[in-house]
């Protein structure tokens, strides 16, 4: 039971991260490595703010803003200074390492005794005795679902359409008399906002900020996104008719839902590997190897399809 | 009215590969003109379009639209008044978005892309009607992703999308070159219809001499960055395909191939 709760907790936190990575990797087609810096940025900002007495709920928004700001800088480096996408991310990631240390003051900042979104007076009242062990999961579920719904809503606005268009065909964005660079910049800001928000939630759940939490965050995010979109995107839920000739609206699973499920599946795989006897220090190795396996498998699948087509 | 004044454009300036594209090139396109531009490869046709749209920087010279200097206006700002259809049908649409979403995007050109709902439900019937005018059955595929459509269908959509909002100029960059002969014919007929109905000032680059002769009211032949043939009105009507071919041969002899 505790293993399942652990999977849900970690899976849901990384699902928020994955929503951000989904924006850059899938929508913008931008391999954004700054994620490795913005995830702990969210955590650092949160730890610092909570120790200063800022209400925990407010830290969610402030962490998002901090991430968005960092995303803007990555965007600025790429769009205005014309640095290659991968390099812009690396530059930002490296710079953020020091910035995070500055914000937190040291490499490890505990907030154990403080109230967090998971541990506060309001929750004690709302949650009954029986729900107590699921408290963290429930709070996470609410936050993750709100993030997902907001992102879904945004992607269906005019601004969201433009964001989807820029990764798909940026020539069209120019044809629509819009500056494609600014659209990319906005996309990077939103994406890194989500990533920092994930870092904020992570920090409050673990009860500390740790500088090394960011290492491999992008790998986890990419793994979640790729598993989710490969496994679930084309899954048609029973009872939801798919379109015949396009007259009806096709009802495949939303990519954002797929990404969240992908995150849970990936966490389960990692948990399985750990329970099979890997040490906790092997975590990053497990993360990478699993990601590699997924990449290779999804490549194979892709090849088969092209043979048939 | 579109005016190019003393355009100078060198490629790879200052290297051994330096190539002069335009040297003191000037041109004037009046309102309502439909200009067909022909010429061999490397004669400067596409460069001309890129210069008008601002896709490539100029070395010197200036460009005016209705007397307003737009030489230093960035490409995306110019596109507000310009609709452009490319040779590659993939350039004019978003493949991973549905037909309806693509139409909504195009419909919103010139207005703010804000947090309002992406597709205005009240406009769907209008989009259907527009798609119906293409005669390709796309009006029944509103929720199909554009990526699965054929090149011809995409190009028809690209044409529709680029002319949906109020524009002053239509730029056609060999927009039928990647299509099979029958589809090319359909797209060309559509083009003629749209230009007539919307009274657009149009510049069309084409390798199809028949289209150049049949469509438009002015014909320009480019060679080494210069307009070596420029006829409008009655003189343009009198031009036959053979005349253009003869001119091509003349050039070839001069160039020694």
């Amino acid at each position: 039971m505790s293993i399942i709760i652990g999977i849900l907790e970690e899976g849901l936190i990384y699902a928020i991260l994955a929503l951000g990575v989904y924006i850059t990797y899938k929508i913008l087609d931008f391999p954004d490595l700054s994620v490795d810096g913005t995830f702990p940025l969210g955590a650092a900002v949160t730890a610092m703010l909570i120790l200063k007495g800022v209400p925990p709920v407010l830290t969610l928004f402030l962490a998002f803003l901090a991430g968005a700001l960092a995303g803007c800088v990555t965007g600025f480096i790429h769009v205005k200074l014309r640095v290659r996408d991968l390099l812009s991310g690396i530059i930002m990631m490296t710079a953020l390492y020091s910035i995070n240390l500055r914000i937190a003051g040291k490499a490890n900042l505990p907030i154990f005794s403080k109230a967090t979104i998971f541990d506060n007076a309001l929750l004690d009242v709302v949650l009954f005795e029986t729900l107590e062990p699921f408290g963290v999961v429930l709070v996470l579920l609410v936050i993750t679902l709100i993030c997902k719904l907001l992102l879904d809503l945004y992607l269906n606005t005019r601004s969201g359409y433009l964001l989807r268009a820029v990764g798909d065909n940026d020539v069209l964005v120019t044809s629509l008399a819009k500056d494609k660079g600014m659209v990319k910049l906005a996309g990077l800001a939103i994406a890194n906002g989500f990533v920092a928000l994930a870092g904020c939630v992570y920090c409050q759940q673990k009860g500390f900020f740790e500088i090394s939490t960011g290492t491999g965050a992008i790998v986890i995010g990419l793994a979640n996104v790729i598993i989710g979109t490969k496994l679930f995107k084309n899954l048609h839920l029973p009872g939801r008719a798919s379109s015949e000739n396009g007259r009806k609206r096709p009802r495949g699973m939303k990519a954002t839902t797929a990404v969240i499920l992908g995150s849970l599946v990936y966490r389960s795989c990692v948990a399985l590997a750990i329970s099979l006897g890997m040490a906790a220090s092997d975590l990053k190795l497990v993360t990478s190897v699993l990601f590699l396996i997924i990449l290779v498998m999804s490549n194979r699948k892709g090849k088969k399809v092209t043979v048939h087509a | 009215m579109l005016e190019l004044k003393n355009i100078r454009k060198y490629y790879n300036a200052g290297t051994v590969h330096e190539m002069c594209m335009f040297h003191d090139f000037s041109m004037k396109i009046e309102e309502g003109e439909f200009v067909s531009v022909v010429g061999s490869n490397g004669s400067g046709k596409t460069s001309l379009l890129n210069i008008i749209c601002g896709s490539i920087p100029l070395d010197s010279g200036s460009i005016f639209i209705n007397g307003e200097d737009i030489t230093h206006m960035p490409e995306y700002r110019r596109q507000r008044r310009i609709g452009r259809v490319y040779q590659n049908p993939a350039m004019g649409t978003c493949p991973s978005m549905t037909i309806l979403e693509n139409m909504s995007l195009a419909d919103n050109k010139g207005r703010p892309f804000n947090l309002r709902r992406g597709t205005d439900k009240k406009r769907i019937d209008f989009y259907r009607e527009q798609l119906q005018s293409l005669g390709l059955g796309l009006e029944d595929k509103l929720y199909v992703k554009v990526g699965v459509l054929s090149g011809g269908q995409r190009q028809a959509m690209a044409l529709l999308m680029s002319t949906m909002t109020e524009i002053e100029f239509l730029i056609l960059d060999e927009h039928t070159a990647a299509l099979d002969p029958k589809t090319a014919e359909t797209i060309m007929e559509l083009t003629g219809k749209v230009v007539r109905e919307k009274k657009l000032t149009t510049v069309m680059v084409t390798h199809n001499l028949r289209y150049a002769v049949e469509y438009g009211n002015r014909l320009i032949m480019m060679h080494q960055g210069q307009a070596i043939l420029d006829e409008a009105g009655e003189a343009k009507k009198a031009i036959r395909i053979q005349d253009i071919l003869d001119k091509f041969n003349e050039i070839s002899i001069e160039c020694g191939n």
Side-chain angles (χ1 to χ4, degrees), chain A residues 207-231:
Chain A
F208 56 81
F209 157 77
E210 229 292 320
I211 187 73
S212 70
T213 48
T215 314
I218 182 67
V219 173
I220 297 172
L222 283 176
N224 295 348
V225 170
I226 292 170
I227 294 177
T229 47
K230 291 279 173 195
L231 274 186

Side-chain angles (χ1 to χ4, degrees), chain A residues 41-53 59 103-104 109-111 114 200 203-204 208-209:
Chain A
L41 172 68
V45 167
T46 306
M48 184 267 290
L49 288 174
I50 284 186
L51 286 178
K52 288 234 159 90
T59 63
I103 292 172
L109 189 62
I111 51 167
K114 302 284 175 183
C200 164
C203 167
Q204 301 200 37
F208 56 81
F209 157 77

Side-chain angles (χ1 to χ4, degrees), chain B residues 182-250:
Chain B
K182 195 168 169 300
T183 313
E185 199 71 35
T186 315
I187 296 292
M188 206 48 234
E189 278 166 22
L190 280 170
T191 308
K193 202 176 99 183
V194 170
V195 171
R196 248 194 333 273
E197 282 173 3
K198 306 214 168 192
K199 299 186 177 63
L200 297 169
T201 307
T202 306
V203 183
M204 173 176 77
V205 162
T206 180
H207 278 300
N208 188 319
L209 299 183
R210 191 167 60 77
Y211 292 160
V213 169
E214 274 179 26
Y215 291 87
N217 45 24
R218 182 172 168 190
L219 193 145
I220 290 179
M221 187 167 177
M222 298 290 295
H223 179 61
Q224 293 179 345
Q226 284 177 331
I228 52 163
L229 183 82
D230 186 349
E231 300 289 0
E234 289 304 312
K236 148 74 170 69
K237 276 188 197 157
I239 295 179
R240 298 282 162 262
I241 295 179
Q242 195 55 46
D243 302 335
I244 309 177
L245 277 175
D246 290 345
K247 197 86 183 169
F248 262 115
N249 285 332
E250 208 177 290

Side-chain angles (χ1 to χ4, degrees), chain A residues 65-84:
Chain A
L65 280 182
L69 191 69
C72 282
V73 178
T74 308
F76 180 82
I77 295 173
H78 173 60
V79 174
K80 296 290 173 195
L81 306 182
R82 295 169 190 271
V83 176
R84 289 221 331 242

Side-chain angles (χ1 to χ4, degrees), chain B residues 24-59:
Chain B
D24 201 23
F25 177 78
S26 297
M27 194 172 91
K28 217 176 192 179
I29 296 172
E30 300 295 337
E31 202 178 318
E33 273 191 326
F34 182 161
V35 188
S36 307
V37 184
V38 297
S40 49
N41 290 322
S43 61
K45 304 182 304 295
T46 301
S47 294
L48 179 68
L49 298 190
N50 283 336
I51 284 171
I52 294 173
C53 292
S55 318
I56 54 173
L58 282 181
D59 295 335

